[in-house]
Amino acid sequence: MPTVPVRQQAAKVPLYRSVADQVEGLIEDGTLGPGSRVPSLRRLSRQMSVSVTTVMEAYRVLEDRGILEARPQSGHYVRLGPRCAPPEPDRTKTCEQAAALDTAELIEHTLEQVSQPGLAGPFGAAVPSPEFLPIRRLNTLLGRAVRRDPIASQSYDSIAGREELRQEVARRALDAGCSISPDEIVVTTGALEAISLGLRAVTKPGDTVAIETPTYHGFLQVLEGLHLNALEIATCPREGICIPCLEKAVDQGKVDACLVVASFGNPLGHSMPEEQRIELAEMLARAKVPLIEDDTYGELPFSDRRPRAIKSYDSEDRVLLLSSFSKTLAPGYRIGWIAPGRHRKDVLRMKLSSTLATATPTQMAMAEYLACGGVDRHLRKLRRTFKDLVRKMIRAIGEYFPEGTRVTRPAGGYVVWIELPEAVDSMRLYREALAERISLIPGPVFSASQRYRNCVRVSCAVPWSPGIEAAIRRVGELAAEQVGRR
Ligand SMILES: Cc1ncc(COP(=O)(O)O)c(C=O)c1O
């Protein structure tokens, strides 16, 4: 291996982790092949100009990640077999016709089942395990806030939400390249309410909304509830919605609004490259089609910098940007927000008839937490944790799932999308896994036309353990049994 000075990552990443990540990179790009012996501790310490102890720590991390194995008297070896890195799924296909939705029952039933407590493999609900979230700190701040200002909870808050929270949201939006004033922000009850308000503000029943396919099932539920049609547009697992495909539908006059996730979409984990974000903003502005941009996972990149929101390239104020703190801080606090641009008045009117105001105490606690300054440290840790868990999951899928399986390589967030061999019926796999107390979400739940019968989404936001590995292995075995029966 050539001499490689260690690249120190963000200031807070310990040196041994930087070394581990660099060695892992060499394995991923094939410089160190499966089964090969990696440099000895002394050799790598010389090559990277770090101490032997640092390399020892780095190799221990790689053993934990399941990438290296130590062989007595012999050294460390790359553990990955050739099948441990399954290929990625191909781009999906556009549905030529918009469809009225009829997925509510399937989605409701599935979500109810996968949210049971005490599962052996809780891969269904896309909610981070509580140990990853600062819930205790938030609860302390909640108690303190209501004691300090007991009057605040005795009446409704303003429709737009608390000023101090909107200021914090506006400050954080700068990281996404967006200069939004607190007055332009409306606090909502989670991102889901923001999606609903945004859609109600820019559409009327019977309109058609272009969405990615597969897409977050919550979008389908909201569209159905508002009597809107969905037009599924081809989506690339790495780069998100196919802009030429969307443009074609827009040019044909088929699209009244567009609803996308540019950063770490659910379920594909895609992240749209910057040039495409610009292209999308410009194309929709030219066509005067409003864009609702869901940035719920935007603060969870695996790299050091979060991507800019499409909203930051919106010169016409047509993009409605929304997000929430459900995936990063506290899903139960139900705090989300929307920056509706030129549609602010309509959104406020809708909010009035939706929930009137978001609950006051949780807004106060969230504002205080964000103002205290610990959030960026928390997020750095969370991103590292999710990156590690997603890697472990992909590796386990490679090891335990049948030949022909494909899996996405998310650039952030914590869900992966698995495309199984054609012979596998994901609805059946879902039922069989659930019978063994393992949850996952079957593919049809993510599609207006209930496609993706051989696909499933798994959430990786649970601490890795032998039990978790056994559970995902069992899913692989159940899938392989279906292939064998054919
Ligand atoms: C893309 C996306 N948007 C919105 C939501 C809902 O967020 P909230 O819990 O804040 O309503 C989710 C939850 O899974 C999601 O994946």
Side-chain angles (χ1 to χ4, degrees), residues 121-337:
F123 308 123
V127 181
S129 213
E131 50 269 73
F132 297 142
L133 301 176
I135 302 292
R136 275 175 58 183
R137 172 97 186 111
L138 274 159
N139 287 349
T140 305
L141 293 174
L142 179 68
R144 204 186 289 168
V146 288
R147 274 195 304 278
R148 199 177 50 219
D149 188 357
I151 304 299
S153 313
Q154 288 176 17
S155 60
Y156 299 121
D157 213 282
S158 83
I159 305 173
R162 292 190 81 79
E163 167 85 23
E164 69 267 30
L165 177 58
R166 286 184 284 118
Q167 280 169 356
E168 290 303 325
V169 168
R171 205 172 52 74
R172 299 204 67 75
L174 288 172
D175 289 343
C178 298
S179 172
I180 305 170
S181 120
D183 294 342
E184 296 171 80
I185 290 163
V186 179
V187 177
T188 58
T189 304
L192 209 53
E193 192 197 17
I195 295 160
S196 169
L197 297 178
L199 282 169
R200 286 171 67 200
V202 300
T203 61
K204 55 184 185 322
D207 277 357
T208 293
V209 180
I211 52 171
E212 293 136 345
T213 183
T215 195
Y216 164 51
H217 48 74
F219 292 171
L220 303 177
Q221 284 168 291
V222 176
L223 291 174
E224 184 169 349
L226 297 177
H227 306 288
L228 294 165
N229 299 322
L231 182 62
E232 297 180 271
I233 304 289
T235 304
C236 163
R238 278 226 170 191
E239 304 193 340
I241 201 158
C242 163
I243 298 178
C245 308
L246 176 61
E247 190 167 16
K248 189 171 156 207
V250 167
D251 288 347
Q252 291 170 344
K254 289 183 179 170
V255 179
D256 299 297
C258 189
L259 172 57
V260 302
V261 183
S263 304
F264 325 125
N266 173 9
L268 291 177
H270 57 262
S271 182
M272 189 180 274
E274 187 166 9
E275 321 82 70
Q276 291 181 26
R277 290 175 194 243
I278 299 171
E279 200 185 330
L280 182 57
E282 290 178 353
M283 188 268 284
L284 293 176
R286 268 195 313 276
K288 300 196 181 344
V289 171
L291 168 66
I292 300 169
E293 178 183 11
D294 182 335
D295 194 43
T296 297
Y297 294 88
E299 292 200 298
L300 291 174
F302 293 159
S303 60
D304 294 338
R305 296 188 95 221
R306 60 147 300 152
R308 285 178 62 153
I310 299 174
K311 171 97 178 156
S312 70
Y313 304 107
D314 168 30
S315 53
E316 303 212 354
D317 221 12
R318 269 183 208 285
V319 178
L320 298 89
L321 176 68
L322 66 94
S323 187
S324 82
F325 298 103
S326 303
K327 309 299 173 183
T328 50
L329 297 176
Y333 274 50
R334 306 305 297 132
I335 302 286
W337 56 269

